[in-house]
């Protein structure tokens, strides 16, 4: 292959796609377009297709082009949050009376959205163990099940789901496969290439990467069927209007440019920390797909480039120990969210997953979720060691 035909790699796309040099001033970083409205060249003659900020904005377009390229898709839509993106998928691709099948370890807010918002509008959901492929097929066999929702790795139990196998099962039953790729990011895992129909992200997390912007995205692939789905999601984005604002889109684009290098460091830090605490007397179990002891380690290795920055720990001392450690670290900041450069500590039972307590999606009370940042890993390990020593 000649030099000119080379397909750009991930980070080359991340830095250049959608980032054309400004034609007026030659600015290397495209300008941030805050304008809510765009003057046409006379009635009906839009300049480059823009008329109003909810319908479209050049800064948002730049982000959407970047996201589509990085997921290996053709269409991407940027939203004001991950849940807004999820809502656009459900409302765009489902109808009242239909049912979705989902993993019973999905993010609590996703379950709350499906159960308590869409449920009231007649779209039902069935949470099940997605490792049980016979059960998945049986649930999809019902004529009212049209969509299979997978989150892999899952939040916070770090379960890994076989995307290729579930795509085959979904398609055999005329259902769509949606993959929440928030934990892995397109750098580590590309669900469209594994057979998924739709990818969704909370870009608030690794894609933004600096804990300073809330956002979400939907990405769809190539071909007529994908074009058809894209039209439906595009209509939701336009008609409902849960779009990302220009500044949010700009910050997300900036974050995306460094996604590859950040994910390499998140992954190596997380693996070092997970290995260090496996077998520690105060730790009952380390949940990290990069450990050989993880039940789906081989599967994760077959569909991910690396294993990411999220590690969960179950503590031998139960709930009191988990609470004490959560409040006892220095570099790991006790906070909601994940995926930023700084390390965060979360007690899901009472924080991110409080809304699913008492349901099938409830998380163990002795579980801590660590978003391992890109600081020096020796400092991070020392921090958790000291907190455990204080038990
Ligand atoms: N999906 C996953 C896996 C998440 O962890 C989250 C948020 O924590 C969401 C979706 C929802 O995204 P947002 O908080 O941006 O609405």
């Amino acid at each position: 292959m000649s030099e000119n035909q080379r397909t750009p790699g991930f980070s080359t796309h991340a830095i250049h796609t959608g980032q054309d040099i400004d034609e007026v001033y030659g600015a290397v970083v495209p300008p941030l377009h805050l304008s809510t409205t765009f003057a046409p060249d006379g009635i009906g003659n839009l300049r480059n297709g823009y008329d109003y900020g909810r319908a479209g904005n050049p800064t948002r377009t730049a982000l959407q082009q970047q996201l589509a390229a990085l997921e290996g898709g053709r269409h991407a839509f940027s939203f004001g949050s991950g849940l807004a993106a999820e809502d656009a998928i459900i409302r765009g691709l489902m109808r009242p009376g239909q049912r979705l099948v989902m993993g019973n370890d999905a993010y609590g807010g996703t379950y709350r959205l499906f159960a308590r918002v869409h449920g009231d509008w007649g779209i039902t959901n069935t949470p099940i163990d997605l490792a049980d492929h016979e059960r998945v097929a049986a649930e999809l066999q019902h004529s009212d099940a049209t969509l299979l929702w997978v989150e892999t790795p899952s939040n916070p139990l770090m379960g890994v789901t076989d995307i290729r196998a579930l795509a085959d099962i979904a398609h055999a039953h005329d259902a769509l496969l949606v993959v929440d790729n928030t934990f892995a990011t397109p750098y580590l895992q590309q669900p469209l290439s594994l057979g998924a129909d739709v990818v969704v992200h909370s870009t608030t997390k690794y894609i933004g990467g600096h804990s300073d912007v809330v956002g979400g995205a939907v990405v769809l692939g190539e071909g007529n069927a994908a074009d058809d789905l894209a039209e439906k999601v595009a209509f939701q984005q336009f008609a409902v209007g849960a779009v990302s604002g220009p500044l949010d889109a700009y910050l997300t684009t900036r974050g995306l440019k460094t996604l590859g290098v950040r994910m390499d460091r998140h992954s190596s830090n997380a693996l070092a920390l997970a290995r260090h605490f496996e077998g520690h007397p105060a730790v009952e179990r380390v949940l990290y797909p990069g450990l050989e002891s993880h039940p789906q380690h081989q599967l994760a290795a077959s569909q991910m480039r690396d294993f990411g920055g999220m590690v969960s720990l179950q503590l031998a001392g139960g709930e009191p120990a988990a609470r004490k450690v959560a409040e006892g670290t220095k570099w790991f900041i006790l906070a909601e969210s994940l995926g930023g450069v700084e390390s965060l500590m979360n007690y899901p039972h009472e924080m991110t997953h409080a809304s699913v307590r008492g349901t099938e999606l409830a998380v163990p009370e002795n579980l801590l979720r660590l978003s391992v940042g890109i600081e020096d890993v020796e400092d991070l390990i020392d921090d958790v060691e000291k907190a455990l020593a204080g038990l």
Side-chain angles (χ1 to χ4, degrees), residues 32-36 53 57 59-60 244-252:
L32 164 57
H33 291 278
L34 291 170
S35 186
T36 56
N57 167 289
T59 309
R60 194 167 89 222
S244 44
L247 181 57
D248 290 357
Y250 179 89
L251 287 172
T252 308

Side-chain angles (χ1 to χ4, degrees), residues 81-84 86 107 110 151 155 180 182-183 202 204-205 214-215 338:
S81 72
L83 289 181
E86 297 186 8
Y107 166 58
T110 296
E151 186 184 303
N155 179 3
D180 183 332
T182 298
F183 267 35
S202 168
T204 315
K205 310 296 171 359
V214 173
L338 59 103

Side-chain angles (χ1 to χ4, degrees), residues 32-86:
L32 164 57
H33 291 278
L34 291 170
S35 186
T36 56
T37 188
F38 301 84
D41 273 332
I43 295 172
N45 280 334
L46 303 184
R47 301 184 208 215
N48 294 317
Y50 295 103
D51 58 356
Y52 181 58
R54 170 164 41 73
N57 167 289
T59 309
R60 194 167 89 222
T61 302
L63 169 61
Q64 294 179 160
Q65 289 173 347
Q66 198 186 15
L67 282 165
L70 296 183
E71 278 289 0
R74 179 187 290 170
H75 314 272
F77 303 94
S78 169
F79 289 88
S81 72
L83 289 181
E86 297 186 8

Side-chain angles (χ1 to χ4, degrees), residues 20-23 25 27-34 57-59 62 250:
D20 295 341
I21 292 166
D22 167 50
E23 283 184 13
Y25 298 109
V28 169
V29 177
L32 164 57
H33 291 278
L34 291 170
N57 167 289
T59 309
Y250 179 89

Side-chain angles (χ1 to χ4, degrees), residues 1-2 12 70 79 91 108 132 170 228 316 327 341 344 352 366 388:
M1 193 184 273
S2 84
T12 305
L70 296 183
F79 289 88
R91 281 201 271 188
D132 182 349
D228 183 46
E327 294 175 348
V341 292
L344 296 181
T352 47
N366 68 343
L388 291 172

